[in-house]
Amino acid sequence: MEVPIKRQYLISSHGKDIKSHYTFDKSTLGQGSFGFVKPVIRLSDNCKRAVKVIPKSRVKRPEVLQSEISIMKQIDHPSIIQLYETFEDDHYIYLIMEMCTGGELFDKIIEVEHFSEHKACEMFSQMLSAVAYLHSRGIVHRDLKPENYLFANRTDGAKLKLIDFGLAKVMTPQNNMSTKSGTCYYIAPEILQGPYTEKCDLWSLGVILYMMLSGYPPFDGENEKEIIHAVRSGPLEFNDNVWNNVSRSAKDFITHLLDRNPTSRFSATDALSHPWITGYSELSQSSLTLDINKISSYQRSVRFRRAVLNYMATQCSSEEIATLSELFCKIDTNKDGQLSLSELREALSAADISRPDLDQLINCIDADKNGTIDFTEFVAALMDRGMYMCQEKLWNAFKRFDIHDRGRITAQELQDVLDQENIVKDSKYWANMVREVDINGDGTIDFEEFVKMMEQGPLSRFSSSEDRSPSNN
């Protein structure tokens, strides 16, 4: 049995002084009732990130904040903001996140007045895929609005990133939602009376798409009371001249999203299969293909090396993995934010790749053993060597597992990081994982052994009796 490598356990939470790891910029990226967001630079490698700073004095319900952090550690999608690590001191909680420099979707709508249908569909497909991914994991965002979508950068084709999971909720069949949450323009009518389901997010998406194509909201008013009344009972209209240039398919799609009956309203899965979405997807296929040699190399790596690559994948910037993100989205033909084994087989078949051990190769990438390939797992298996074989990244990865900061990694530390649910009962499992890498035979992994493991890649067994000879100690 091989222990599942779960993304949430790779994201570290520190009780250390954040300023010994990051330097703060004087500027502020955003501010709200929760706290503020500032640019930071990681001292070890000058990597630019953003930090959400939350004063503990403003946290009235700590369990809500912990839920937000737990959700962000788990979610793994190219169109959702990445959480890299967290810090906590006596007065603040710090969430270190991906830096997005392209501004809000809301401001872009104001700037351009309205998008072309093709451009709107390109962006909306990303937004919808992220929501479908969340819903497949039982997570409801509950505050979808253009202000909560940021462009990764200022280039023309910049990807959108969903942010702010402060109101997000993990939903179970026994846990219907009834709390009124959201922003009046985008709030689903059923939220106003409760209870409601994840389909409240689809209503919000419908409002956003309407605004992207027209430049104004479908339900408006002079004040919040009038807006809420329009949301409850106002007609959905496409009468303005701007709608003359919008296809019947797009209007039909919006109508299904802005259905006041949640039962008949589109689910995320329904929306992904609508012709307006699938038609765009068919027009936007890239020419990128899978590199089977990288997958084979990943499969033949020792267990700890695969775990390290998964950790490194959680720490990559959007720019570093832009090509892999594009390839992932190409292979994800149903746009649900995760790759099924059949989607990967189809991608390999399209590249004329046929191997008798294909199923084993694909299953190896599924590090958390949930039956699908998540984005981090995909990146871990297909990263270029140059993305991880630099001293700063190797050292940062080593320190993630050297949790007692002693300059060596023990079997117990591997278990503490990778098996927080105590799935593996046999303590020899972790000792054997160390032994695969431990050249000098001292029962631990030092940084030199760690680097050699990452350099050598595929290994049936890292160390041998010859490696353990006294002359090599």
Side-chain angles (χ1 to χ4, degrees):
M1 170 187 160
E2 188 164 339
V3 66
I5 302 170
K6 296 194 175 183
R7 186 182 193 278
Q8 61 263 39
Y9 300 143
L10 298 173
I11 308 298
S12 53
S13 297
H14 307 279
K16 303 173 185 175
D17 176 17
I18 188 174
K19 291 186 179 177
S20 65
H21 295 263
Y22 289 90
T23 179
F24 282 64
D25 194 286
K26 292 181 180 179
S27 62
T28 299
L29 298 172
Q31 196 147 358
S33 58
F34 63 85
F36 52 91
V37 178
K38 294 181 77 69
V40 290
I41 297 175
R42 188 163 62 175
L43 295 172
S44 62
D45 58 3
N46 292 320
C47 177
K48 293 180 180 179
R49 291 176 169 178
V51 59
K52 184 176 182 179
V53 183
I54 304 168
K56 289 184 175 180
S57 60
R58 298 188 192 178
V59 179
K60 306 304 180 188
R61 296 176 60 198
E63 70 277 7
V64 174
L65 177 58
Q66 289 307 313
S67 175
E68 176 184 0
I69 293 171
S70 175
I71 286 171
M72 290 195 70
K73 282 185 174 184
Q74 294 176 54
I75 51 182
D76 184 15
H77 190 282
S79 298
I80 298 177
I81 194 85
Q82 292 185 78
L83 175 69
Y84 293 122
E85 56 186 330
T86 69
F87 290 82
E88 182 175 352
D89 58 28
D90 292 339
H91 303 289
Y92 297 96
I93 294 170
Y94 309 87
L95 310 185
I96 304 293
M97 297 187 296
E98 180 178 3
M99 170 79 88
C100 294
T101 58
E104 296 176 359
L105 174 60
F106 182 84
D107 293 331
K108 194 68 175 177
I109 293 172
I110 299 299
E111 177 190 333
V112 303
E113 295 186 351
H114 60 85
F115 294 102
S116 70
E117 194 169 335
H118 181 84
K119 185 64 176 176
C121 191
E122 177 188 348
M123 293 187 292
F124 193 78
S125 293
Q126 300 169 37
M127 297 158 67
L128 180 57
S129 176
V131 171
Y133 169 84
L134 291 174
H135 289 183
S136 73
R137 282 170 168 54
I139 299 167
V140 192
H141 189 277
R142 300 202 299 177
D143 195 22
L144 297 177
K145 54 187 177 182
E147 295 91 328
N148 280 341
Y149 283 97
L150 301 181
F151 289 97
N153 52 58
R154 296 195 177 276
T155 62
D156 286 342
K159 300 295 184 183
L160 279 170
K161 301 279 184 171
L162 175 60
I163 67 168
D164 197 349
F165 286 78
L167 294 178
K169 182 92 170 173
V170 177
M171 195 181 71
T172 65
Q174 297 78 30
N175 181 22
N176 279 334
M177 296 173 291
S178 56
T179 303
K180 291 181 173 63
S181 61
T183 306
C184 62
Y185 278 111
Y186 313 98
I187 195 167
E190 66 268 21
I191 290 181
L192 302 170
Q193 56 203 39
Y196 55 93
T197 69
E198 78 284 352
K199 286 192 176 180
C200 63
D201 283 346
L202 277 300
W203 175 279
S204 302
L205 284 178
V207 175
I208 296 169
L209 179 56
Y210 188 102
M211 292 178 66
M212 290 169 72
L213 290 171
S214 68
Y216 57 86
F219 309 108
D220 206 352
E222 295 295 323
N223 52 50
E224 185 171 326
K225 184 178 180 181
E226 289 186 7
I227 295 167
I228 293 296
H229 177 75
V231 168
R232 285 182 183 273
S233 56
L236 175 62
E237 297 179 332
F238 302 102
N239 296 334
D240 200 21
N241 287 339
V242 70
W243 291 103
N244 292 339
N245 296 319
V246 175
S247 69
R248 186 176 298 175
S249 180
K251 295 173 191 174
D252 176 77
F253 185 53
I254 292 171
T255 301
H256 280 96
L257 294 174
L258 296 180
D259 182 346
R260 286 192 173 87
N261 181 356
T263 304
S264 54
R265 183 184 308 152
F266 268 1
S267 67
T269 305
D270 295 331
L272 285 170
S273 61
H274 189 275
W276 192 70
I277 294 292
T278 58
Y280 168 75
S281 299
E282 289 166 3
L283 293 172
S284 58
Q285 294 296 328
S286 78
S287 58
L288 296 169
T289 57
L290 278 170
D291 186 336
I292 193 67
N293 293 324
K294 287 180 181 175
I295 298 175
S296 298
S297 173
Y298 177 84
Q299 185 205 27
R300 298 196 307 275
S301 296
V302 293
R303 291 170 292 176
F304 185 37
R305 186 176 190 270
R306 294 202 297 268
V308 171
L309 286 169
N310 271 270
Y311 168 72
M312 287 179 153
T314 71
Q315 301 298 301
C316 290
S317 69
S318 290
E319 290 76 18
E320 288 177 302
I321 55 177
T323 300
L324 288 177
S325 176
E326 184 181 351
L327 178 57
F328 181 91
C329 294
K330 174 190 175 182
I331 298 169
D332 180 21
T333 53
N334 68 359
K335 305 302 173 194
D336 66 352
Q338 49 205 336
L339 304 183
S340 66
L341 301 186
S342 62
E343 284 174 326
L344 274 168
R345 286 192 200 98
E346 287 172 17
L348 290 165
S349 175
D352 291 326
I353 295 170
S354 177
R355 292 186 45 154
D357 61 344
L358 198 54
D359 281 1
Q360 292 95 317
L361 279 176
I362 292 172
N363 283 314
C364 179
I365 305 174
D366 180 18
D368 64 5
K369 308 305 175 189
N370 70 350
T372 61
I373 309 301
D374 299 316
F375 185 50
T376 292
E377 295 168 341
F378 183 80
V379 172
L382 288 156
M383 271 194 294
D384 286 331
R385 183 182 176 84
M387 289 173 63
Y388 58 84
M389 284 308 300
C390 66
Q391 192 75 3
E392 294 86 357
K393 289 193 175 184
L394 289 166
W395 181 245
N396 287 328
F398 180 81
K399 298 309 291 180
R400 173 64 189 103
F401 295 91
D402 178 23
I403 55 180
H404 296 299
D405 204 21
R406 293 178 297 203
R408 60 186 188 275
I409 299 167
T410 65
Q412 185 61 55
E413 285 173 315
L414 287 182
Q415 183 174 8
D416 289 344
V417 174
L418 296 174
D419 192 18
Q420 297 179 29
E421 296 175 28
N422 196 27
I423 295 171
V424 178
K425 306 302 180 185
D426 183 3
S427 60
K428 293 180 181 177
Y429 180 91
W430 306 103
N432 289 336
M433 189 181 286
V434 168
R435 194 174 295 115
E436 290 175 328
V437 183
D438 176 22
I439 297 172
N440 63 18
D442 67 353
T444 67
I445 303 168
D446 60 31
F447 185 61
E448 185 179 348
E449 291 166 332
F450 182 88
V451 172
K452 189 169 183 181
M453 171 189 75
M454 298 306 295
E455 282 177 341
Q456 295 205 3
L459 300 164
S460 57
R461 180 176 176 80
F462 189 85
S463 52
S464 67
S465 57
E466 183 179 340
D467 292 326
R468 297 176 183 279
S469 64
S471 61
N472 288 318
N473 288 343

